[in-house]
Amino acid sequence: MKLFSLAAIVILLLTALFSCSKDPVTNPERKIRYILYTNQDFSGDKDTIRFTLLMHNHTGKMFDSAIAPMTVENIPDFNHKIVIDRLIPNNDTSTFSVGFSYYIDNVGLAWSIDTCSAGVTYKEVRLDFK
């Protein structure tokens, strides 16, 4: 009887030890890649343009960040595109909106928005400015 009790205690201790040492399951990191460029020639267009990167979930703004103002003629071509990688804050697993907004002085505001579905771990958001 003592042998059975000792074996049972050892099995319980080993089970507790191994079940408590498992790493918790974590969601993979989610990343958005923002890509900005133009395929058009805007030479001579001296208007200032201000781009902002956007990310919003159902509760509101998760992230926004402005790119330094530039003139329209200085928007890079595809071979010199601006690429910015951003991890999703708090590794949010929900569906959210991502994109760009831009404002041209004395012209107005516009935007390009896309959706990043729940569970997507990598998304490219491209703005080919026209």
Side-chain angles (χ1 to χ4, degrees), residues 44-72:
D45 190 335
K46 304 286 186 195
D47 287 329
T48 299
I49 188 166
R50 302 164 202 289
F51 291 98
T52 301
L53 311 178
L54 304 172
M55 186 184 305
H56 295 245
N57 66 10
H58 65 282
T59 62
K61 187 184 314 181
M62 297 167 61
F63 164 78
D64 71 349
S65 181
I67 297 174
M70 64 182 87
T71 60
V72 174

Side-chain angles (χ1 to χ4, degrees), residues 67-126:
I67 297 174
M70 64 182 87
T71 60
V72 174
E73 71 180 353
N74 288 328
I75 298 171
D77 62 19
F78 182 79
N79 293 327
H80 302 93
K81 60 190 170 276
I82 297 171
V83 178
I84 299 170
D85 290 332
R86 176 72 175 149
L87 291 176
I88 310 302
N90 303 317
N91 207 25
D92 188 322
T93 58
S94 66
T95 297
F96 51 89
S97 301
V98 291
F100 293 87
S101 68
Y102 53 94
Y103 178 79
I104 302 174
D105 289 357
N106 302 314
V107 175
L109 177 68
W111 55 89
S112 173
I113 304 293
D114 198 355
T115 300
C116 184
S117 300
V120 172
T121 58
Y122 177 78
K123 171 94 175 167
E124 284 189 358
V125 181
R126 295 175 177 264

Side-chain angles (χ1 to χ4, degrees), residues 1-12:
M1 190 68 158
K2 280 186 178 181
L3 184 59
F4 176 73
S5 297
L6 182 59
I9 291 172
V10 168
I11 290 172
L12 285 173

